[in-house]
Amino acid sequence: FRTAFLTSSEAGAENDATVMSRILAPLKKIAHQTNSAVLVLHHNNRARDDYAGTAAIAGNTVAMWNYRRDEDSASATLKIKTRDDDHKPITVQL
């Protein structure tokens, strides 16, 4: 994401909600106009293992997916959260 959209921005611009909204809002509009999906990958906060970041990302998404797998595990958990609901977690066996 940083390489594709923030190369001309100052360091730390990804933490600025105004900068992120200028990038994400048009992507959301394109997704709606073309009936397509835009996938934005973002890392979790290490301490909470959940999304933590600018409100611009959460505010410009329809759903947030959290995929988590412990380092030596053969299974992972996928949690999907939308504006309306937290869906039942899905277990993925590798």
Side-chain angles (χ1 to χ4, degrees), residues 1 5 20 24 27 38-43 57 60-61 63 65:
F1 189 86
F5 297 106
M20 293 301 291
L24 294 171
L27 290 175
V38 175
L39 178 65
V40 177
L41 296 177
H42 192 291
H43 62 88
I57 294 175
N60 283 290
T61 58
W65 294 28

Side-chain angles (χ1 to χ4, degrees), residues 1-11 13-14 19 23:
F1 189 86
R2 187 177 294 125
T3 302
F5 297 106
L6 296 171
T7 54
S8 62
S9 299
E10 294 180 19
E14 65 273 9
V19 171
I23 296 166

Side-chain angles (χ1 to χ4, degrees), residues 67-77 90-94:
Y67 180 83
R68 184 175 188 285
R69 181 181 67 84
D70 290 332
E71 189 173 336
D72 296 326
S73 180
S75 64
T77 303
I90 300 167
T91 300
V92 180
Q93 190 67 30
L94 305 174

Side-chain angles (χ1 to χ4, degrees), residues 27 33 36 80 86 90 92:
L27 290 175
Q33 290 173 339
S36 301
I80 302 171
D86 285 349
I90 300 167
V92 180

Side-chain angles (χ1 to χ4, degrees), residues 17-66:
T18 303
V19 171
M20 293 301 291
S21 289
R22 269 190 260 139
I23 296 166
L24 294 171
L27 290 175
K28 184 178 179 180
K29 185 176 180 180
I30 289 169
H32 285 294
Q33 290 173 339
T34 61
N35 200 27
S36 301
V38 175
L39 178 65
V40 177
L41 296 177
H42 192 291
H43 62 88
N44 280 350
N45 177 302
R46 289 185 196 132
R48 288 185 6 197
D49 192 34
D50 197 2
Y51 174 76
T54 175
I57 294 175
N60 283 290
T61 58
V62 174
M64 298 185 79
W65 294 28
N66 185 5

